[in-house]
Amino acid sequence: MHETDMTKALILTVKDWWESQPERPQISCIRLTVGEFTCVEPVSLQFAFEVQSRNTFLQGVRLAIDEIPLIAFCDRCQEEYRPEIGLRYACPQCESPMENIRSGRELKIEKIEYAVGV
Amino acid sequence: MHQTFEAGLGINLLHANQAGADHNRAHFDEWGITCLNIMSSPGAGKTVLLEKTIAALNDELKIAVIEGDMTTELDAERLRQYGVPVIAINTGRSCHLDSKMVAGGIHQLEGQYEPKEFDLVLVENVGNLVCPAEFEVGEHFKVALLSVTEGEDKPLKYPIMFQEADCLLITKIDLAPYLDIDIDRIAGNVRQMNPHVAIAPVSAKTGEGLDIWFDWVRQVVNRQQRSLALASVSK
Ligand SMILES: Nc1nc2c(ncn2[C@@H]2O[C@H](COP(=O)(O)OP(=O)(O)OP(=O)(O)O)[C@@H](O)[C@H]2O)c(=O)[nH]1
Ligand SMILES: [Mg+2]
Ligand SMILES: [Zn+2]
């Protein structure tokens, strides 16, 4: 599954960051945003992360996924609407096709939370 | 005592793949090649379509194929009979091609042929309706196939590939009379999320509609070559 590849990319990116930190901090949480209109299934991503982080510097780290809804903007109605994924994407008021996606395509590592001993 | 901190990253998960795709595209541009990424569910008719396309356009365009077959060389063997270079990429268990795999294919093309001679590279992606859509490989245009046997609702259920396609081929229309299927509905479902897509219903078996597809290919190759020529003049 492609979540495996996405997780690989995730771990590599976080590792780059971690190795750039001289104190190699203890990471507690990685925050992702995942849009609803992507091919990524948060549950599969969680699972892949659990498997791939085992016995690495990320073992036990929490992966927090914020899901972002699909929101489109209809130019004709000058209004936002939420397409019903799987059923219909056109504007519910005027039937104009979905052209302008405002959110829902995100696949982002937002931030890393970590602790440093004092 | 421990103190908690946050580091803002804001990095796209697909960043590395995207950078690789841009790199591949830069190579194609340098060589004057137009690249099409051909995607569909397993068995929708990608390889048969490539066979027909190569047979029809081989005289006017110099074509190479990058073939993403999961485990076998079967599709690649079929296409080699048409006398064009076919670079087979063993994708292993991966459910899609990514830009790194295709970079390997481009490298082979460069090593074994004179890449500047080519006009068109056709990439047959792994048969899968979900994953390939998120992984650009360096294509200029995305082509999605949907066979009439798959049902009208597939674009609604698996929207990303259809939303991003530049061209949609509704395939195997010779079978439509035996099925309870409305081709206009398929087209309408895709247009709901992608109003500007070029749509051609085709049958590789009877040849119906293929001329429209060939014309589309000629047109995008032409357009691409003209815009590259303009870009090099303005440099
Ligand atoms: N009736 C009919 N059958 C077709 C047509 N196009 C393809 N087929 C058949 O559909 C089957 C699959 O075709 P392929 O071209 O191998 O499909 P594919 O998309 O390359 O398949 P994968 O690479 O395995 O994903 C074959 O048995 C083809 O003969 C068509 O236009 N009409
Ligand atoms: Mg095939
Ligand atoms: Zn509207």
Side-chain angles (χ1 to χ4, degrees), chain B residues 7-227:
Chain B
L9 256 61
I11 295 176
N12 195 301
L13 271 182
L14 291 167
H15 175 79
N17 186 70
Q18 197 59 47
D22 291 342
H23 183 89
N24 292 347
R25 197 156 27 235
H27 273 302
F28 288 134
D29 288 347
E30 181 195 332
W31 298 325
I33 291 173
T34 305
C35 176
L36 306 183
N37 184 0
I38 311 213
M39 298 179 275
S40 79
S41 56
K46 297 178 293 299
T47 306
V48 175
L49 178 82
L50 291 190
E51 291 181 279
K52 300 286 174 190
T53 308
I54 294 163
L57 299 179
N58 218 1
D59 289 340
E60 36 184 310
L61 298 174
K62 185 135 171 74
I63 303 173
V65 175
I66 294 180
E67 178 61 53
D69 201 318
M70 288 182 85
T71 46
T72 69
E73 285 240 344
L74 286 178
D75 281 0
E77 281 309 323
R78 266 162 71 189
L79 293 168
R80 283 200 184 103
Q81 297 174 359
Y82 293 83
V84 299
V86 178
I87 293 157
I89 297 182
N90 192 328
T91 54
R93 271 174 307 179
S94 183
C95 48
H96 57 267
L97 286 172
D98 64 27
S99 59
K100 208 166 150 190
M101 297 176 198
V102 171
I106 293 176
H107 205 77
Q108 281 187 46
L109 185 74
E110 196 183 2
Q112 295 166 22
Y113 305 91
E114 180 49 65
K116 283 206 163 93
E117 286 176 4
F118 289 87
D119 302 302
L120 178 63
V121 167
L122 300 166
V123 177
E124 178 175 343
N125 217 307
V126 180
N128 181 333
L129 215 44
V130 181
C131 314
E134 293 282 16
F135 294 84
E136 265 194 33
V137 299
E139 70 271 23
H140 297 97
F141 301 98
K142 293 179 173 49
V143 178
L145 276 63
L146 181 73
S147 66
V148 293
T149 52
E150 293 172 74
E152 294 146 356
D153 57 343
K154 289 308 167 293
L156 301 178
K157 285 189 180 161
Y158 304 96
I160 311 280
M161 184 179 294
F162 299 103
Q163 198 250 332
E164 301 216 319
D166 298 290
C167 178
L168 169 74
L169 299 175
I170 301 171
T171 62
K172 308 192 190 180
I173 54 168
D174 56 288
L175 299 176
Y178 308 102
L179 303 160
D180 195 13
I181 189 127
D182 182 346
I183 288 171
D184 290 338
R185 257 242 348 251
I186 299 178
N189 283 344
V190 173
R191 287 229 160 87
Q192 261 192 52
M193 61 188 85
N194 185 354
H196 306 294
V197 63
I199 300 182
V202 301
S203 165
K205 188 165 182 189
T206 65
E208 192 183 346
L210 286 179
D211 280 337
I212 298 171
W213 156 246
F214 299 150
D215 278 342
W216 185 85
V217 175
R218 287 186 186 103
Q219 198 191 317
V220 296
V221 171
N222 258 322
R223 206 197 306 159
Q224 195 63 22
Q225 287 179 341
R226 253 192 326 225
S227 76

Side-chain angles (χ1 to χ4, degrees), chain A residues 74 76-77 91 93-94 96:
Chain A
C74 176
R76 194 142 154 215
C77 302
C91 169
Q93 289 194 63
C94 74
S96 294

Side-chain angles (χ1 to χ4, degrees), chain A residues 2 89 98 109 112 114 118, chain B residues 1 5 7 10-11 131 156 192:
Chain A
H2 53 288
Y89 300 87
M98 175 175 79
I109 311 171
I112 296 174
Y114 60 100
V118 200
Chain B
M1 253 227 34
F5 296 89
I11 295 176
C131 314
L156 301 178
Q192 261 192 52

Side-chain angles (χ1 to χ4, degrees), chain A residues 33-38 66-72 80-83 85 101-106:
Chain A
T33 46
V34 172
E36 196 182 18
F37 199 61
T38 63
D66 294 322
E67 282 189 76
I68 312 288
L70 172 61
I71 295 173
E80 286 185 350
Y81 68 98
R82 282 196 64 172
I85 294 177
I101 295 177
R102 286 275 163 97
S103 78
R105 289 292 282 139
E106 301 76 2

